[in-house]
């Protein structure tokens, strides 16, 4: 895991996203590619509530406001990047040849418009993408996270709202007998190998789920140098998502790993209840793979 894409939005949430990305990068001396996509008023208007009702002078004023907001976000995003690099003494580099030593490095890129397509393209070119949860209208598609998950073919690390400087203390893997879980686990192997403690939890639901299957998986992880502790969650009236959350709190997990289960076309993506919950809300970082 040597190249990590970090989305810089120019909001206060950048700090949590940047800290999460840096925590993921440190064990591997990875390169962080910070990307900010500056949205034109025309593109931002598509995803801005109520602007389609504006007419005449009100429309011009709304578009001027969107342009001013875009300028402020771009300036703030660059400032947050420079602030992080200065505080953490991160080397600026475009290629490995620019570095004289093994260390975390960073680069800055600002692009314009066609945000989803540009972000997905960059996500495909990196080993991991780090992004924050969408908290308000920012000119980007409301289903951007889903688009990256479904079309990039790469793992996505969703930062929590709170700043976290450590990821590889305790990692909790949510396991189901599905291809999505297998891809998430494979993507997370470098992080698991660098972690202090690894738990693998599986719930008694759906075809193929059994304690024997869970223990077999844990045994296979030993061949990757990963000693994992199994947690089998028996059938219960309590929803699986609540039990997984309780387990994460109980073991004080720094990072959650899970497959993203969904179906349908990209703009009509329907994710299962458990995936939807962790996409929308979680108090700790979540690594997802579709």
């Amino acid at each position: 895991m040597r190249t990590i894409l970090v989305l810089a939005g120019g909001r206060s949430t950048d700090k949590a996203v940047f800290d999460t990305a840096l925590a993921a990068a440190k064990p591997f001396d990875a390169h962080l590619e910070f990307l900010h996509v500056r949205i034109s008023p025309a593109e931002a208007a598509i995803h801005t509530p109520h602007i389609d009702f504006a007419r005449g002078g009100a429309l011009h004023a709304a578009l001027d406001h969107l342009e001013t907001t875009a300028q402020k976000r771009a300036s703030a995003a660059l400032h947050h990047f420079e602030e992080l690099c200065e505080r953490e003494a991160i080397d600026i580099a475009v290629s490995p040849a620019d570095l004289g030593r093994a260390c975390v490095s960073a680069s800055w890129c600002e692009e314009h418009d066609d945000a989803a397509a540009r972000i997905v393209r960059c996500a495909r070119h990196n080993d991991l993408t780090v992004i924050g949860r969408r908290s308000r209208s920012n000119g980007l598609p409301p289903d951007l996270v889903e688009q990256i998950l479904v079309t990039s073919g790469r793992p996505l690390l969703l930062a929590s709202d709170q700043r976290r400087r450590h990821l590889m203390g305790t990692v909790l893997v949510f396991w189901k007998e599905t291809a999505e879980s297998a891809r998430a686990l494979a993507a997370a192997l470098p992080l698991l190998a660098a972690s202090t403690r690894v738990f693998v939890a599986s719930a008694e639901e759906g075809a193929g789920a059994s304690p024997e299957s869970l223990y077999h998986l844990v045994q296979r992880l030993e061949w990757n140098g990963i000693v994992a502790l199994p947690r089998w969650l028996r059938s219960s009236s309590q929803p699986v998502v609540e039990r997984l959350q309780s387990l994460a709190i109980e073991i004080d997990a720094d990072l959650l790993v899970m497959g993203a289960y969904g179906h349908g076309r990209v703009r009509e993506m329907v994710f299962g209840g458990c995936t939807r919950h962790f996409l929308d809300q979680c108090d700790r970082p979540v690594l997802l793979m579709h």
Side-chain angles (χ1 to χ4, degrees):
M1 196 169 286
R2 296 302 308 277
T3 62
I4 299 174
L5 177 67
V6 189
L7 298 187
R11 292 192 181 279
S12 58
T13 51
D14 280 352
K15 295 181 179 180
V17 173
F18 290 8
D19 282 349
T20 300
L22 182 59
K26 281 184 174 179
F28 314 109
D29 290 326
H31 179 73
L32 298 168
E33 179 186 357
F34 289 82
L35 172 66
H36 176 76
V37 180
R38 186 163 171 172
I39 311 298
S40 70
E43 184 173 347
I46 298 173
H47 307 295
T48 301
H50 311 305
I51 197 170
D52 51 335
F53 294 105
R55 295 289 185 274
L59 177 59
H60 286 296
L63 293 175
D64 287 343
H65 174 71
L66 290 175
E67 175 61 27
T68 300
T69 300
Q71 291 175 357
K72 289 181 178 178
R73 283 202 201 104
S75 177
L78 179 58
H79 174 70
H80 294 159
F81 165 75
E82 293 172 338
E83 187 177 56
L84 175 76
C85 292
E86 181 178 356
R87 185 183 76 236
E88 301 291 339
I90 299 174
D91 289 359
I92 306 299
V94 176
S95 73
D98 298 332
L99 300 171
R101 60 194 176 96
C103 62
V104 174
S105 60
S107 59
W108 173 260
C109 178
E110 181 179 315
E111 298 202 15
H112 296 260
D113 289 329
D114 202 10
R118 293 182 185 277
I119 291 170
V120 168
R121 182 198 66 200
C122 289
R124 288 176 183 151
H125 297 177
N126 285 279
D127 300 324
L128 176 69
T129 297
V130 184
I131 188 174
R133 286 182 175 81
R134 180 176 180 270
S135 59
R136 67 180 102 169
S137 176
N138 55 8
L140 294 171
D143 62 347
L144 178 62
V145 170
E146 291 88 337
Q147 289 194 48
I148 298 172
L149 269 174
V150 174
T151 63
S152 72
R154 297 285 194 163
L156 180 71
L157 179 54
L158 199 57
S160 62
D161 294 334
Q162 302 299 318
R163 299 178 68 176
R164 285 182 171 264
R165 298 182 182 275
H166 304 284
L167 286 183
M168 270 67 91
T170 298
V171 179
L172 174 59
V173 179
F174 299 159
W175 177 259
K176 291 179 71 172
E177 289 297 332
T178 64
E180 291 89 346
S181 266
R183 286 191 285 267
L185 180 61
L189 283 177
L191 298 172
L192 301 185
S195 298
T196 304
R197 294 194 307 167
V198 176
F199 289 83
V200 182
S202 186
E204 189 175 2
E205 62 167 0
S210 69
E212 293 76 19
S213 176
L214 175 61
Y215 299 145
H216 181 266
L217 173 65
V218 167
Q219 289 176 339
R220 298 283 75 74
L221 287 175
E222 291 182 12
W223 290 96
N224 287 279
I226 298 166
V227 178
L229 302 173
R231 286 294 184 96
W232 175 247
L233 306 179
R234 293 193 174 277
S235 181
S236 167
S237 60
Q238 185 182 22
V240 172
V241 65
E242 292 183 8
R243 288 185 285 155
L244 291 174
Q245 279 196 138
S246 296
L247 178 56
I249 294 170
E250 175 191 332
I251 66 175
D252 193 22
D254 298 293
L255 173 68
L256 311 181
V257 175
M258 64 183 295
Y261 314 102
H263 58 86
R265 293 182 300 176
V266 173
R267 293 192 179 279
E268 298 173 354
M269 176 56 62
V270 178
F271 283 105
C274 191
T275 303
R276 186 77 265 166
H277 174 86
F278 286 102
L279 280 173
D280 293 340
Q281 53 182 316
C282 188
D283 60 353
R284 58 204 73 216
V286 184
L287 187 143
L288 298 129
M289 184 79 183
H290 180 60

